């Protein structure tokens, strides 16, 4: 994909992602990836198989994303505290 009618768009998008320091990584490269996808769609004779495979992958994608390191871990309930009764013979003054 790095060479061909959309090679420049592919290299720009890939390079942007690799060097991205934004959080989440690559969020600042969305426009470059859209340009690459538009180029792929404009050249179905060259990228037809990739376009068809990408469409199939979207149908198989999970409904939600798996947790990442940036997402908080699940909440674990803390057990209720146990009330301690004063021991016999202890002074309460």
């Amino acid at each position: 994909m790095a060479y061909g009618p959309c090679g420049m768009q592919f290299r720009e998008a890939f390079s942007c992602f690799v060097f991205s320091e934004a959080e989440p990584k690559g969020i600042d490269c969305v426009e470059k990836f859209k340009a690459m996808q538009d180029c792929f769609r404009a050249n179905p004779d060259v990228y037809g198989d990739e376009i068809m495979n990408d469409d199939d992958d979207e149908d198989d994608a999970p409904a939600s994303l798996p947790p990442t390191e940036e997402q908080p871990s699940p909440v674990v309930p803390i057990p209720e505290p146990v009330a301690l009764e004063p021991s016999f013979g202890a002074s309460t003054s």
Side-chain angles (χ1 to χ4, degrees):
M1 280 197 259
Y3 304 100
C6 300
M8 180 63 74
Q9 291 87 341
F10 173 81
R11 289 189 302 271
E12 286 178 358
F14 184 78
S15 180
C16 181
F17 181 81
V18 168
F19 294 107
S20 174
E21 294 181 4
E23 288 297 327
K25 185 167 181 72
I27 193 70
D28 52 339
C29 305
V30 171
E31 291 303 316
K32 293 185 186 299
F33 278 98
K34 284 183 181 178
M36 179 186 74
Q37 289 177 333
D38 290 343
C39 184
F40 287 170
R41 288 186 182 102
N43 293 281
D45 52 318
V46 178
Y47 300 102
D49 291 339
E50 285 85 357
I51 294 170
M52 294 307 292
N53 289 341
D54 286 347
D55 291 343
D56 292 341
D57 292 345
E58 289 175 9
D59 295 339
D60 297 338
S64 63
L65 297 175
T68 64
E69 292 177 21
E70 294 156 3
Q71 293 176 340
S73 59
V75 176
V76 177
I78 299 173
E80 293 292 322
V82 177
L84 300 176
E85 294 183 20
S87 53
F88 292 102
S91 79
T92 57
S93 48

